[in-house]
Amino acid sequence: MSQEVTKIKKRISSVSGALKVTSAMKLVSTVKLKKWKNKMIAHREYSENLKEVTDLVLSFAKRAKTPFNVANTDTDKNLYIIVSSTLGLCGSYNNNIFKLADVSLKEKDDAVILGNKGLMHYENGAFTKIEGFEGYNSVQNESVIKSLTSFITSEYLKGKYHEIHLIYSEYKNSLVFLPKDYVILPLKEVETDVLSFGPILEPNEKALVDELVPIYIKTSIYSKLLESEVCEQAARSNAMENATKNAQELIDQLRIEFNKARQGAITQEITEIVSAANAL
Protein backbone atom coordinates (compact mmCIF):
# COMPACT_ATOMS: atom_id res chain seq x y z
CA MET A 1 0.00 0.00 0.00
CA SER A 2 2.86 2.39 0.84
CA GLN A 3 4.32 1.77 -2.63
CA GLU A 4 1.06 2.87 -4.24
CA VAL A 5 1.06 6.05 -2.15
CA THR A 6 4.63 6.83 -3.23
CA LYS A 7 3.78 6.16 -6.88
CA ILE A 8 0.78 8.50 -6.80
CA LYS A 9 2.85 11.15 -5.03
CA LYS A 10 5.47 11.01 -7.80
CA ARG A 11 2.76 11.34 -10.46
CA ILE A 12 1.34 14.40 -8.72
CA SER A 13 4.80 15.95 -8.64
CA SER A 14 5.33 15.19 -12.34
CA VAL A 15 1.97 16.60 -13.44
CA SER A 16 2.50 19.67 -11.24
CA GLY A 17 5.73 20.36 -13.09
CA ALA A 18 3.92 20.10 -16.41
CA LEU A 19 1.22 22.42 -15.06
CA LYS A 20 3.82 25.09 -14.31
CA VAL A 21 5.23 24.82 -17.84
CA THR A 22 1.85 25.04 -19.59
CA SER A 23 0.78 27.95 -17.37
CA ALA A 24 3.95 29.86 -18.23
CA MET A 25 3.56 29.13 -21.95
CA LYS A 26 -0.06 30.21 -21.86
CA LEU A 27 0.96 33.53 -20.29
CA VAL A 28 3.65 34.10 -22.93
CA SER A 29 1.37 33.21 -25.84
CA THR A 30 -1.40 35.43 -24.46
CA VAL A 31 0.96 38.41 -24.33
CA LYS A 32 2.14 37.70 -27.89
CA LEU A 33 -1.45 37.31 -29.05
CA LYS A 34 -2.38 40.73 -27.69
CA LYS A 35 0.69 42.30 -29.32
CA TRP A 36 0.08 40.81 -32.79
CA LYS A 37 -3.66 41.34 -32.62
CA ASN A 38 -3.17 45.06 -32.02
CA LYS A 39 -0.81 45.20 -35.00
CA MET A 40 -3.29 43.32 -37.16
CA ILE A 41 -6.14 45.67 -36.27
CA ALA A 42 -4.00 48.73 -36.95
CA HIS A 43 -2.77 47.35 -40.28
CA ARG A 44 -6.22 46.15 -41.34
CA GLU A 45 -7.52 49.70 -41.63
CA TYR A 46 -4.57 50.66 -43.84
CA SER A 47 -4.89 47.59 -46.08
CA GLU A 48 -8.65 48.02 -46.49
CA ASN A 49 -8.24 51.68 -47.44
CA LEU A 50 -5.46 50.77 -49.89
CA LYS A 51 -7.68 48.11 -51.48
CA GLU A 52 -10.49 50.62 -51.85
CA VAL A 53 -8.17 53.14 -53.51
CA THR A 54 -6.67 50.48 -55.79
CA ASP A 55 -10.08 49.24 -56.91
CA LEU A 56 -11.18 52.83 -57.57
CA VAL A 57 -8.05 53.66 -59.59
CA LEU A 58 -8.31 50.49 -61.68
CA SER A 59 -11.97 51.27 -62.35
CA PHE A 60 -11.14 54.70 -63.78
CA ALA A 61 -7.79 53.91 -65.38
CA LYS A 62 -9.26 51.82 -68.17
CA ARG A 63 -6.58 52.86 -70.65
CA ALA A 64 -3.73 51.88 -68.31
CA LYS A 65 -3.87 48.09 -68.40
CA THR A 66 -1.81 46.21 -65.83
CA PRO A 67 -0.60 42.65 -66.51
CA PHE A 68 -1.40 41.72 -62.92
CA ASN A 69 -5.14 41.54 -63.59
CA VAL A 70 -4.78 39.49 -66.78
CA ALA A 71 -4.80 35.71 -66.40
CA ASN A 72 -1.94 33.72 -67.92
CA THR A 73 -3.81 31.36 -70.24
CA ASP A 74 -0.69 29.73 -71.73
CA THR A 75 -0.15 27.56 -68.64
CA ASP A 76 -2.28 25.69 -66.14
CA LYS A 77 0.41 25.46 -63.45
CA ASN A 78 -0.33 27.29 -60.21
CA LEU A 79 1.91 28.51 -57.41
CA TYR A 80 0.80 27.98 -53.82
CA ILE A 81 2.28 29.71 -50.79
CA ILE A 82 1.62 27.61 -47.68
CA VAL A 83 1.90 29.43 -44.36
CA SER A 84 2.67 27.16 -41.40
CA SER A 85 4.25 27.72 -38.01
CA THR A 86 7.88 27.27 -37.03
CA LEU A 87 7.10 26.31 -33.43
CA GLY A 88 4.75 23.60 -32.24
CA LEU A 89 2.23 23.31 -29.40
CA CYS A 90 -0.44 25.21 -31.33
CA GLY A 91 -3.18 22.59 -31.53
CA SER A 92 -4.69 21.87 -34.94
CA TYR A 93 -3.41 25.10 -36.50
CA ASN A 94 -0.98 23.40 -38.88
CA ASN A 95 -3.13 20.34 -39.56
CA ASN A 96 -5.99 22.50 -40.83
CA ILE A 97 -3.61 24.28 -43.20
CA PHE A 98 -2.21 20.98 -44.47
CA LYS A 99 -5.69 19.53 -45.07
CA LEU A 100 -6.65 22.47 -47.29
CA ALA A 101 -3.29 22.39 -49.10
CA ASP A 102 -3.53 18.65 -49.76
CA VAL A 103 -6.89 19.16 -51.47
CA SER A 104 -5.83 22.24 -53.46
CA LEU A 105 -2.35 21.34 -54.76
CA LYS A 106 -1.75 19.16 -57.80
CA GLU A 107 1.46 17.34 -58.72
CA LYS A 108 2.15 19.79 -61.55
CA ASP A 109 1.96 22.82 -59.21
CA ASP A 110 4.80 24.59 -57.42
CA ALA A 111 4.78 25.57 -53.75
CA VAL A 112 6.58 27.98 -51.45
CA ILE A 113 6.42 26.64 -47.91
CA LEU A 114 6.82 29.08 -45.03
CA GLY A 115 7.55 27.71 -41.55
CA ASN A 116 9.51 24.69 -40.33
CA LYS A 117 6.40 22.61 -39.63
CA GLY A 118 5.34 22.87 -43.26
CA LEU A 119 8.85 22.04 -44.47
CA MET A 120 8.87 18.92 -42.33
CA HIS A 121 5.35 17.88 -43.35
CA TYR A 122 6.01 18.27 -47.08
CA GLU A 123 9.56 16.97 -47.05
CA ASN A 124 8.55 14.29 -49.56
CA GLY A 125 5.70 16.14 -51.26
CA ALA A 126 4.70 15.25 -54.82
CA PHE A 127 4.71 18.85 -56.02
CA THR A 128 7.80 20.98 -56.72
CA LYS A 129 9.03 23.04 -53.76
CA ILE A 130 10.58 26.43 -54.46
CA GLU A 131 13.78 26.93 -52.46
CA GLY A 132 15.06 30.16 -50.99
CA PHE A 133 12.43 31.04 -48.40
CA GLU A 134 13.33 28.58 -45.64
CA GLY A 135 14.44 31.44 -43.37
CA TYR A 136 10.88 32.57 -42.71
CA ASN A 137 9.93 32.20 -39.04
CA SER A 138 7.32 34.88 -38.51
CA VAL A 139 5.92 38.03 -40.05
CA GLN A 140 8.89 39.88 -38.53
CA ASN A 141 11.09 38.48 -41.34
CA GLU A 142 10.42 41.47 -43.57
CA SER A 143 13.37 40.72 -45.86
CA VAL A 144 11.92 37.29 -46.67
CA ILE A 145 8.49 38.81 -47.33
CA LYS A 146 10.06 41.41 -49.63
CA SER A 147 11.94 38.69 -51.54
CA LEU A 148 8.78 36.59 -51.76
CA THR A 149 6.79 39.51 -53.17
CA SER A 150 9.47 40.20 -55.78
CA PHE A 151 9.56 36.52 -56.73
CA ILE A 152 5.77 36.33 -57.09
CA THR A 153 5.45 39.42 -59.26
CA SER A 154 8.41 38.58 -61.50
CA GLU A 155 7.35 34.96 -62.07
CA TYR A 156 3.79 35.97 -62.84
CA LEU A 157 4.94 38.61 -65.33
CA LYS A 158 7.01 35.91 -67.06
CA GLY A 159 3.80 33.94 -67.56
CA LYS A 160 5.04 30.95 -65.58
CA TYR A 161 1.91 30.51 -63.45
CA HIS A 162 -1.79 30.61 -64.23
CA GLU A 163 -2.68 31.69 -60.69
CA ILE A 164 -0.80 32.39 -57.46
CA HIS A 165 -2.53 31.33 -54.24
CA LEU A 166 -1.84 31.94 -50.57
CA ILE A 167 -3.05 29.32 -48.08
CA TYR A 168 -3.22 30.93 -44.66
CA SER A 169 -5.41 31.09 -41.54
CA GLU A 170 -8.19 33.65 -41.50
CA TYR A 171 -8.85 35.19 -38.08
CA LYS A 172 -12.46 35.31 -36.91
CA ASN A 173 -11.93 35.59 -33.17
CA SER A 174 -9.60 34.15 -30.54
CA LEU A 175 -11.38 30.79 -30.71
CA VAL A 176 -12.26 30.54 -34.40
CA PHE A 177 -9.73 30.76 -37.23
CA LEU A 178 -10.18 28.93 -40.51
CA PRO A 179 -7.77 27.98 -43.31
CA LYS A 180 -8.39 29.95 -46.47
CA ASP A 181 -7.20 29.81 -50.07
CA TYR A 182 -6.62 33.42 -51.19
CA VAL A 183 -5.85 34.21 -54.84
CA ILE A 184 -3.08 36.81 -54.96
CA LEU A 185 -2.75 36.99 -58.75
CA PRO A 186 -4.42 37.72 -61.06
CA LEU A 187 -6.14 40.62 -59.37
CA LYS A 188 -9.89 40.27 -59.30
CA GLU A 189 -11.96 42.91 -60.99
CA VAL A 190 -14.24 44.52 -58.43
CA GLU A 191 -17.38 46.42 -59.31
CA THR A 192 -17.24 49.84 -57.69
CA ASP A 193 -19.80 52.60 -57.46
CA VAL A 194 -17.91 55.07 -59.63
CA LEU A 195 -18.77 58.73 -59.82
CA SER A 196 -20.09 60.34 -62.96
CA PHE A 197 -16.81 62.22 -63.22
CA GLY A 198 -13.43 60.63 -62.65
CA PRO A 199 -10.69 61.80 -60.30
CA ILE A 200 -7.50 63.40 -61.54
CA LEU A 201 -4.82 60.70 -61.75
CA GLU A 202 -1.35 62.16 -61.41
CA PRO A 203 1.18 62.08 -62.99
CA ASN A 204 -0.80 59.88 -65.42
CA GLU A 205 -2.91 56.72 -65.40
CA LYS A 206 -0.13 54.28 -66.35
CA ALA A 207 2.45 55.66 -63.93
CA LEU A 208 -0.06 55.60 -61.08
CA VAL A 209 -1.20 52.03 -61.80
CA ASP A 210 2.37 50.75 -62.21
CA GLU A 211 3.32 52.25 -58.85
CA LEU A 212 0.16 51.43 -56.90
CA VAL A 213 -0.46 47.79 -57.88
CA PRO A 214 2.89 46.37 -56.58
CA ILE A 215 2.34 48.19 -53.28
CA TYR A 216 -1.14 46.71 -53.05
CA ILE A 217 0.16 43.18 -53.75
CA LYS A 218 2.89 43.48 -51.10
CA THR A 219 0.41 44.88 -48.57
CA SER A 220 -2.06 42.07 -49.25
CA ILE A 221 0.60 39.41 -48.67
CA TYR A 222 1.82 41.09 -45.50
CA SER A 223 -1.69 41.47 -44.10
CA LYS A 224 -2.45 37.76 -44.65
CA LEU A 225 0.84 36.71 -43.04
CA LEU A 226 0.09 39.01 -40.12
CA GLU A 227 -3.33 37.43 -39.76
CA SER A 228 -1.74 33.97 -39.76
CA GLU A 229 0.62 35.08 -36.99
CA VAL A 230 -2.34 36.14 -34.86
CA CYS A 231 -4.08 32.81 -35.51
CA GLU A 232 -0.95 30.88 -34.55
CA GLN A 233 -0.60 32.71 -31.22
CA ALA A 234 -4.33 32.31 -30.52
CA ALA A 235 -4.12 28.58 -31.27
CA ARG A 236 -1.10 28.18 -28.99
CA SER A 237 -2.80 30.16 -26.21
CA ASN A 238 -5.92 27.97 -26.47
CA ALA A 239 -3.86 24.78 -26.55
CA MET A 240 -1.89 25.77 -23.45
CA GLU A 241 -5.07 26.80 -21.66
CA ASN A 242 -6.64 23.40 -22.37
CA ALA A 243 -3.45 21.63 -21.31
CA THR A 244 -3.40 23.62 -18.07
CA LYS A 245 -7.02 22.73 -17.33
CA ASN A 246 -6.41 19.06 -18.07
CA ALA A 247 -3.33 19.02 -15.85
CA GLN A 248 -5.25 20.65 -12.99
CA GLU A 249 -8.10 18.14 -13.35
CA LEU A 250 -5.60 15.28 -13.34
CA ILE A 251 -3.93 16.63 -10.21
CA ASP A 252 -7.30 16.88 -8.44
CA GLN A 253 -8.08 13.29 -9.41
CA LEU A 254 -4.66 12.05 -8.28
CA ARG A 255 -5.04 13.83 -4.95
CA ILE A 256 -8.31 12.00 -4.34
CA GLU A 257 -6.59 8.70 -5.19
CA PHE A 258 -3.67 9.68 -2.97
CA ASN A 259 -5.95 10.38 0.00
CA LYS A 260 -7.76 7.07 -0.54
CA ALA A 261 -4.48 5.17 -0.79
CA ARG A 262 -3.05 6.89 2.29
CA GLN A 263 -6.23 6.20 4.27
CA GLY A 264 -6.05 2.57 3.18
CA ALA A 265 -2.41 2.37 4.25
CA ILE A 266 -3.25 3.84 7.67
CA THR A 267 -6.16 1.43 8.09
CA GLN A 268 -3.95 -1.50 7.17
CA GLU A 269 -1.26 -0.45 9.68
CA ILE A 270 -3.86 -0.10 12.44
CA THR A 271 -5.25 -3.53 11.58
CA GLU A 272 -1.79 -5.07 11.73
CA ILE A 273 -1.09 -3.42 15.08
CA VAL A 274 -4.39 -4.62 16.57
CA SER A 275 -3.84 -8.11 15.20
CA ALA A 276 -0.37 -8.25 16.72
CA ALA A 277 -1.69 -7.02 20.08
CA ASN A 278 -4.43 -9.62 20.10
CA ALA A 279 -1.92 -12.35 19.27
CA LEU A 280 0.00 -11.51 22.41
Side-chain angles (χ1 to χ4, degrees), residues 37-75:
K37 187 177 179 180
N38 291 337
K39 286 187 176 183
M40 181 190 70
I41 294 173
H43 187 270
R44 179 179 290 172
E45 183 176 357
Y46 167 75
S47 61
E48 290 178 351
N49 289 334
L50 180 61
K51 183 180 185 306
E52 182 179 352
V53 171
T54 304
D55 292 339
L56 188 62
V57 169
L58 292 178
S59 298
F60 280 106
K62 298 296 185 181
R63 292 175 294 178
K65 295 294 183 180
T66 174
F68 293 115
N69 61 4
V70 179
N72 293 327
T73 57
D74 295 335
T75 179

Side-chain angles (χ1 to χ4, degrees), residues 66-214:
T66 174
F68 293 115
N69 61 4
V70 179
N72 293 327
T73 57
D74 295 335
T75 179
D76 59 351
K77 178 190 288 187
N78 296 328
L79 173 65
Y80 285 84
I81 303 167
I82 304 172
V83 185
S84 64
S85 69
T86 295
L87 302 177
L89 301 176
C90 50
S92 59
Y93 171 81
N94 289 310
N95 289 333
N96 293 335
I97 290 291
F98 298 152
K99 288 179 181 178
L100 178 59
D102 292 340
V103 173
S104 302
L105 269 76
K106 307 295 185 296
E107 291 187 8
K108 63 185 177 183
D109 295 330
D110 294 345
V112 173
I113 302 174
L114 303 180
N116 290 340
K117 295 300 180 181
L119 292 172
M120 294 171 58
H121 182 80
Y122 291 110
E123 185 176 3
N124 299 317
F127 50 84
T128 302
K129 293 183 285 294
I130 304 298
E131 306 291 338
F133 304 100
E134 294 81 1
Y136 181 85
N137 294 320
S138 70
V139 75
Q140 290 179 314
N141 302 119
E142 295 183 4
S143 60
V144 179
I145 298 175
K146 184 178 180 180
S147 300
L148 178 62
T149 305
S150 299
F151 172 79
I152 289 172
T153 53
S154 63
E155 294 299 303
Y156 189 80
L157 290 177
K158 293 177 183 177
K160 186 175 181 180
Y161 299 111
H162 179 65
E163 290 181 342
I164 298 180
H165 297 246
L166 177 68
I167 297 181
Y168 74 106
S169 294
E170 183 181 24
Y171 181 84
K172 298 294 185 181
N173 53 58
S174 297
L175 297 176
V176 179
F177 24 87
L178 305 173
K180 186 174 181 180
D181 186 349
Y182 172 74
V183 179
I184 302 175
L185 292 172
L187 298 177
K188 294 182 179 180
E189 294 186 4
V190 179
E191 295 292 335
T192 57
D193 297 330
V194 297
L195 303 174
S196 58
F197 55 91
I200 299 175
L201 303 180
E202 293 290 348
N204 55 67
E205 291 184 2
K206 186 178 186 312
L208 181 59
V209 170
D210 292 344
E211 186 72 22
L212 181 61
V213 170

